[in-house]
Amino acid sequence: MRQSSFIVFLIMIFSGSAYSSLSVDDVFNMIAKNSEKTLNYTEIHSETIFTKEIKVTGKVSFSNSGAMSKYVITPKKSEMHIVGDTLSLINSDGVKSISLANYPVLASSVNAIRWILSGEKDKVLEHYSVRYSLMGDSWIIELIPINKIVLLKVLSISIEGSHGDVDVITLTKVNGVNVSTTFSRQ
């Protein structure tokens, strides 16, 4: 009886040790290797002045080149494509394009996601201070903007996942509004 308890104890210790030494660099590398894909998502925008909560569903695709496309299915169909510095919105009103350089707060959240997914840790560190925590094989990377203009609007961007998969991204704004995006595999 004692021997079997000891063996179970050793298995528990050694099975967790592979992940207990997982560094933030390891996580960035695993995400980057796993970044080219299409995922379903559900996005919840917390309470605003005019609404209780907004729920958006759709598909999002990422490429290892940093391009990102978001297809909104509900509540109203639209598409958003981000290539380089240009964000294009396609909906029933037509096509509108903007340069992210003119919208530093929007660029901050978009680029943080693209840089995380493409494993560009140097770019992330250039624009954010990074907090990292690990519990088992699950991790959380919290990004705090360094740019003072962005920090006046965005408190943090939290990325949660396990192994090389990003499961939830939460944008927390200064005004208390949260945008939480949960990804699911197809």
Side-chain angles (χ1 to χ4, degrees):
M1 186 71 150
R2 282 183 162 171
Q3 187 177 16
S4 63
S5 297
F6 181 71
I7 290 171
V8 170
F9 175 73
L10 285 176
I11 290 171
M12 287 174 45
I13 288 174
F14 288 112
S15 65
S17 66
Y19 294 108
S20 64
S21 62
L22 197 63
S23 73
V24 71
D25 290 329
D26 295 330
V27 171
F28 269 90
N29 291 335
M30 287 190 306
I31 293 169
K33 287 179 187 172
N34 200 16
S35 67
E36 190 164 339
K37 65 175 98 181
T38 299
L39 300 170
N40 294 320
Y41 74 90
T42 300
E43 193 169 84
I44 305 292
H45 298 249
S46 67
E47 187 171 329
T48 65
I49 295 171
F50 300 108
T51 62
K52 292 274 185 200
E53 183 177 273
I54 299 171
K55 181 178 179 180
V56 178
T57 63
K59 293 183 184 277
V60 64
S61 32
F62 307 98
S63 73
N64 57 10
S65 67
M68 186 168 83
S69 294
K70 188 174 183 179
Y71 303 92
V72 176
I73 297 170
T74 63
K76 189 176 177 183
K77 288 189 177 191
S78 66
E79 297 177 23
M80 180 177 67
H81 302 281
I82 303 163
V83 178
D85 187 39
T86 303
L87 182 147
S88 299
L89 175 65
I90 304 168
N91 59 21
S92 59
D93 296 332
V95 179
K96 298 175 188 170
S97 295
I98 63 166
S99 171
L100 290 172
N102 296 329
Y103 299 89
V105 174
L106 177 61
S108 169
S109 57
V110 167
N111 287 331
I113 295 164
R114 294 193 309 171
W115 294 333
I116 288 278
L117 291 171
S118 60
E120 296 183 67
K121 185 179 172 209
D122 292 340
K123 285 186 179 179
V124 171
L125 292 174
E126 190 177 311
H127 294 88
Y128 299 91
S129 60
V130 177
R131 294 182 189 152
Y132 170 71
S133 60
L134 178 69
M135 193 160 71
D137 61 354
S138 297
W139 44 261
I140 298 174
I141 298 172
E142 185 177 15
L143 306 176
I144 311 297
I146 294 172
N147 181 312
K148 291 179 181 173
I149 293 171
V150 175
L151 195 53
L152 290 173
K153 300 281 185 182
V154 176
L155 286 178
S156 67
I157 300 169
S158 175
I159 301 101
E160 300 176 41
S162 60
H163 306 287
D165 293 321
V166 174
D167 297 325
V168 179
I169 298 175
T170 303
L171 172 72
T172 303
K173 297 181 180 181
V174 172
N175 64 0
V177 172
N178 290 320
V179 179
S180 181
T181 306
T182 303
F183 297 100
S184 58
R185 280 50 184 179
Q186 295 181 328

